[in-house]
Amino acid sequence: VEQSEAPAPATPRSELADEKHDTVLQVTIHGTDELKANMYLIHPVVKLSIIDTHDGKYMMKPEPHKTVVLQHENVIMPSDQNTDKIKRKKQESDRKLKEAKEAKEKKEKKKGKPRRKSAEDIAAEEEEKMQEEIEAQEEQPETMIYERILPVLTQPFDLTLHLKDGKSLSCAWEECIGLNARLAHFMKPQYIFMFEIMDFIHTRDNAKANLKTLTKHQGWKNIAWGFLRPNKDKDGGYLRLGQKLRLQLYKYKSYWFWQRKPKSADLHESCLAYHQWKMRGWKPYKSTLFVTVEGIARPADRVVTHRANMPWEREEGETETELALHKKGAQEKRQQATQQEGALDKTRLGKKWVGATGKWCRVPNAPMHKLPSDYRGCFVIAFSTFGTFLACAVAGHRLYKIKIFNVATGSLAKTLTGHHEIVYDMQWAMEKEEVGLDEALDRKEEEKAAGVKREEEAEEGGNPIAEMGPLLVTASADTTAKVWSVEKATLLAACHHPSYVYAARFCAGPDGVKGETQLEKAASACGYVVTGCYDSNLRLWDVRPETVGDVGHGQITKLIEGHLSHINSIVLDTQMTKLYSADGTGVIRVWQLPRHSFELLKEVQEPEVKGDAINCLRLDRSGKRLVMLARDNMVRMMDTERWQVTQRFSGLRSSQHQIRCDLSPDGRYLMSGSEDGQVFVWNTDTGEQDTSVPRDKMPWLGGMCTDVAWNPAERIIACCSFSRKHPVLVQKYERDADAMAAEEMAEDEVRDVLQGKFSELAEAFTRMDKSGDNKLQMDEFRDGIMSLESDVSEMQIYRMFKTVAGGADEIDKQEFLRRFAPAGTAEQLETSSTLDKVKQRHSSTTDGKIRRGATLGLLEELSMDNLRRKGGGGGAVGDPTETGHRRAL
């Protein structure tokens, strides 16, 4: 039923017949009335299909070689798919052969009894038949072009933002769909326009049957459907062109057991709404859809600067004049950006990585930077390999950019543009560890004097990946995963998928990580990319420069099936020998990577998270602890050897959205975002929330905190929020801001305080060590220090203990002496301890011979030890005879 807001006369068919060839069809989807509340109704779309009622399939193109919907819709199809064109050609060929055969038989009947065929005639006929078969095979193309008009989807309409403004469940797409074909061709009586309102399945809160739901609905939930007959009558016009039409919507009915239900093969060439329309007995849905059908002049040819490869992407193009102006403006803008950004700012806070400095991680307690995001905020962040840069995936009104900031200065270093939808995941690779300017000059002078070519230049010259500088891989909802050169701000490779890409990680080649130098190893570890997609499959892509070439498309080398739901997160161990992937039903699968075999090693189905989507996976450096964040407001840590949950971390909210977590470089702390905007930090050993930093000094974001990241080289964290214009917060650790004085005392300061008192301290520690395991708790350590005659405060003792213990609750006595006492002190104390033990054994022995033998043995050891130290000599101590022993005693 179609109703117009304003009555208008019908368009006569004669006018449609007189339309010029440059008039094409445009269908505008305006919106709907208020829809019925449904748990699946979150981001609905409208699907437009044009069906030919004669055969029940999509409408044929008027000109098969031309594109109607998309630039790339004429995909070459394999010849074995038995398309309509092949069928028609075969039928035409069979008909002609049959007619020729019948004509020949009639001719022979008229002549009378046919003569007997000779051997030459039979051979000639067989040769002619073989020649016809060869010509038929040559005429039949190996590939065919799809000749039907494909259905079109609108952009999703986000009802969540609509409801936040206090509005009703009504949609407003206001989207124009243009079809590159003559308007009169669509106005024939046998064609019908089908409109379907549908929504893609999303993961629900506490849903234990997500897998069953996804399988049942094939990823889509149908809401309502409507139809439009543009020319119902054969004599007069029916459709009012250019007027807004109001279409009644109908419910999807279930099929009775005697009714034929359409199969998947039927829906490949048609739509479900058409089968519902054929059933009749439609049940009205309490809402309507507003559309406008009109003819527009065919747009002039444009120079396309960005050609969309997927229906999700937006194409950008200009006329010749606009293109010239655009190039001129882009060049000026590029020059300004070059003057502002210049070369990639590689300023660093420190020269060495945190593992080499001996410092352990601290929870940052002071603000450092507020980095600008964009209109819709930032969804995901990632620190570079050595912590020099921070990549932020920001979302604007229509564009989605990757902003690269220098962590030390907070300045914008680079901007990467190219994604058209939200970015879900990022990872860095190939960042070189820079040295100081003085060190670089000294190294260069030494190499020049020795006549040796610099190793760095030799390495970079021989490896094309090394010339690209730091690399970044991103996964986006625009169905692509892209590899970028950050230093050159260019796109190296694009990997196109059939659906949304949720995760992407760099991967080594078939031979694994190889190479002699650090740069060679890093280059061999990023030649391939593994992605996780909404279609439940993993894919391995070859993104090496020699494979990608000038086209810039990554080559898929392997499709890995096994998951039964969309893959949300993947992570690799440090050696790149194992890959862990998690999906939307709470299943984790472990794959073997050597030789790119992707052999399934383990499938983990933890009962606590069964049916809940796993948002994030993190693996510590040892590869023995796996952290998973599920949509049940809980983070869990698993032992990768026994595959049992060892710790549970609670307090956050993560039931509706994609929230991520991160481990500190030393594995002591676990940090996570939350839907309420808080940032939580737990101790991985105890599972308790860390209290070293008060809650008022921790970051608190205005919207939900979607991602957190820990700098691998400095005591710095970053967190972001996917909310309007919210900045990316960067936090650092400051010693002066630590009210608990939990910062370690400098090692030189510890030596100065305890200089000349280590012997007394060792004796005090021996007295205080009640368990006798050479381990000291905080109370025992304090009592031992306080027993010395030194002006040491309680706070200094506490700081000394934190220095020695690190993240542990106790210290090792021998380790303490080895680190802070002068050289040789530990050996002297060990000798004294041995002597004391022998004396105790001597006093407890009643037999005189045994006592005398033990004493002589001890004296002999001491004499030989003095000889070794002093190089021999006379006297009682240096005489290794029994008389010398007696004199010494």
Side-chain angles (χ1 to χ4, degrees), residues 79-293:
S79 58
D80 58 356
Q81 291 191 5
N82 197 15
T83 57
D84 293 340
K85 189 172 184 179
I86 296 177
K87 289 182 180 179
R88 290 198 304 273
K89 282 192 173 183
K90 187 177 180 181
Q91 292 174 359
E92 185 70 18
S93 177
D94 293 343
R95 185 181 62 80
K96 289 182 178 179
L97 289 174
K98 187 177 180 180
E99 291 178 353
K101 187 177 180 180
E102 291 177 353
K104 190 176 181 180
E105 290 178 352
K106 289 181 180 179
K107 189 176 181 181
E108 289 178 352
K109 284 182 179 180
K110 288 182 179 179
K111 291 182 179 180
K113 186 177 180 180
R115 66 180 180 86
R116 204 169 193 179
K117 294 182 180 180
S118 63
E120 290 82 6
D121 294 339
I122 296 175
E125 288 180 1
E126 289 179 355
E127 185 178 355
E128 184 180 355
K129 189 175 182 181
M130 187 179 298
Q131 185 66 26
E132 289 177 356
E133 290 178 357
I134 293 174
E135 291 176 358
Q137 290 178 1
E138 291 177 351
E139 291 177 358
Q140 180 177 342
E142 295 182 357
T143 56
M144 294 299 297
I145 295 177
Y146 196 74
E147 297 181 339
R148 296 186 179 269
I149 297 178
L150 300 173
V152 189
L153 283 175
T154 64
Q155 292 289 331
F157 183 78
D158 194 349
L159 282 175
T160 57
L161 299 177
H162 207 55
L163 293 174
K164 284 182 180 179
D165 298 336
K167 299 180 181 179
S168 61
L169 282 173
S170 58
C171 302
W173 290 279
E174 296 296 340
E175 186 169 341
C176 298
I177 299 174
L179 300 179
N180 186 26
R182 291 183 58 195
L183 175 64
H185 187 73
F186 296 94
M187 299 295 111
K188 296 180 180 179
Q190 70 266 27
Y191 297 139
I192 181 172
F193 292 11
M194 307 302 303
F195 300 89
E196 297 177 89
I197 300 179
M198 52 207 308
D199 202 338
F200 47 90
I201 301 295
H202 61 281
T203 305
R204 295 169 292 166
D205 184 19
N206 69 2
K208 299 297 182 180
N210 287 330
L211 175 60
K212 184 177 179 181
T213 303
L214 290 172
T215 305
K216 178 181 178 181
H217 300 288
Q218 297 181 350
W220 291 95
K221 178 61 179 178
N222 299 307
I223 307 298
W225 64 275
F227 72 95
L228 175 65
R229 297 293 296 271
N231 194 356
K232 188 176 180 180
D233 299 331
K234 296 183 179 180
D235 300 329
Y238 182 76
L239 180 66
R240 293 184 289 270
L241 295 176
Q243 296 292 322
K244 182 183 288 189
L245 306 177
R246 188 175 187 180
L247 308 183
Q248 175 64 52
L249 296 177
Y250 300 95
K251 298 179 181 178
Y252 284 89
K253 297 191 303 181
S254 302
Y255 290 87
W256 293 97
F257 63 90
W258 65 79
Q259 293 176 322
R260 182 183 178 275
K261 187 177 181 180
K263 300 180 180 179
S264 300
D266 300 332
L267 298 179
H268 287 166
E269 299 180 342
S270 181
C271 63
L272 183 60
Y274 174 73
H275 294 276
Q276 293 279 330
W277 176 79
K278 287 177 60 179
M279 289 175 60
R280 301 295 176 174
W282 312 316
K283 294 183 179 180
Y285 182 89
K286 294 183 178 180
S287 184
T288 56
L289 176 68
F290 295 94
V291 300
T292 299
V293 180

Side-chain angles (χ1 to χ4, degrees), residues 296-310:
I296 61 172
R298 187 188 300 273
D301 293 336
R302 303 170 73 89
V303 179
V304 180
T305 58
H306 174 76
R307 178 69 68 188
N309 293 309
M310 290 290 173

Side-chain angles (χ1 to χ4, degrees), residues 664-687:
S664 61
D666 60 357
R668 292 178 57 206
Y669 298 105
L670 172 65
M671 180 173 57
S672 174
S674 179
E675 293 175 356
D676 56 7
Q678 297 188 66
V679 176
F680 291 87
V681 180
W682 298 274
N683 188 302
T684 56
D685 295 328
T686 63

Side-chain angles (χ1 to χ4, degrees), residues 272-491:
L272 183 60
Y274 174 73
H275 294 276
Q276 293 279 330
W277 176 79
K278 287 177 60 179
M279 289 175 60
R280 301 295 176 174
W282 312 316
K283 294 183 179 180
Y285 182 89
K286 294 183 178 180
S287 184
T288 56
L289 176 68
F290 295 94
V291 300
T292 299
V293 180
E294 58 185 332
I296 61 172
R298 187 188 300 273
D301 293 336
R302 303 170 73 89
V303 179
V304 180
T305 58
H306 174 76
R307 178 69 68 188
N309 293 309
M310 290 290 173
W312 290 258
E313 298 182 359
R314 300 183 180 91
E315 294 190 352
E316 299 175 1
E318 298 87 6
T319 60
E320 294 293 342
T321 305
E322 292 174 344
L323 182 62
L325 295 175
H326 174 76
K327 286 183 177 179
K328 184 179 179 180
Q331 186 176 4
E332 295 176 354
K333 189 176 180 180
R334 196 180 302 110
Q335 291 177 355
Q336 295 177 1
T338 305
Q339 294 175 359
Q340 293 177 359
E341 296 183 0
L344 189 62
D345 185 8
K346 299 180 180 180
T347 306
R348 298 189 59 183
L349 296 174
K351 297 180 182 179
K352 295 183 178 180
W353 183 66
V354 84
T357 61
K359 294 189 290 187
W360 58 87
C361 294
R362 291 290 186 193
V363 180
N365 54 10
M368 183 178 180
H369 299 303
K370 281 188 176 182
L371 306 177
S373 59
D374 212 322
Y375 181 78
R376 298 176 63 187
C378 177
F379 190 76
V380 62
I381 53 180
F383 280 107
S384 60
T385 309
F386 294 104
T388 310
F389 307 105
L390 176 65
C392 305
V394 301
H397 286 282
R398 301 181 65 179
L399 298 178
Y400 296 80
K401 305 176 183 178
I402 311 295
K403 291 186 177 181
I404 310 297
F405 294 94
N406 183 279
V407 177
T409 62
S411 60
L412 180 63
K414 294 289 180 180
T415 302
L416 310 177
T417 58
H419 281 297
H420 303 279
E421 292 295 341
I422 186 172
V423 176
Y424 284 111
D425 196 14
M426 294 189 296
Q427 188 197 17
W428 286 81
M430 277 300 302
E431 184 189 8
K432 295 184 294 183
E433 188 173 7
E434 300 293 335
V435 298
L437 180 60
D438 297 336
E439 297 179 27
L441 294 175
D442 294 342
R443 183 187 299 177
K444 189 173 182 179
E445 291 178 359
E446 293 175 0
E447 293 173 353
K448 186 176 180 180
V452 180
K453 187 178 181 180
R454 297 182 62 191
E455 180 184 1
E456 181 181 352
E457 294 177 357
E459 290 174 356
E460 291 184 359
N463 196 322
I465 299 181
E467 299 176 359
M468 303 299 177
L471 302 182
L472 183 71
V473 60
T474 56
S476 172
D478 63 2
T479 72
T480 63
K482 297 185 177 181
V483 180
W484 310 83
S485 172
V486 177
E487 189 164 0
K488 298 181 178 180
T490 56
L491 178 64

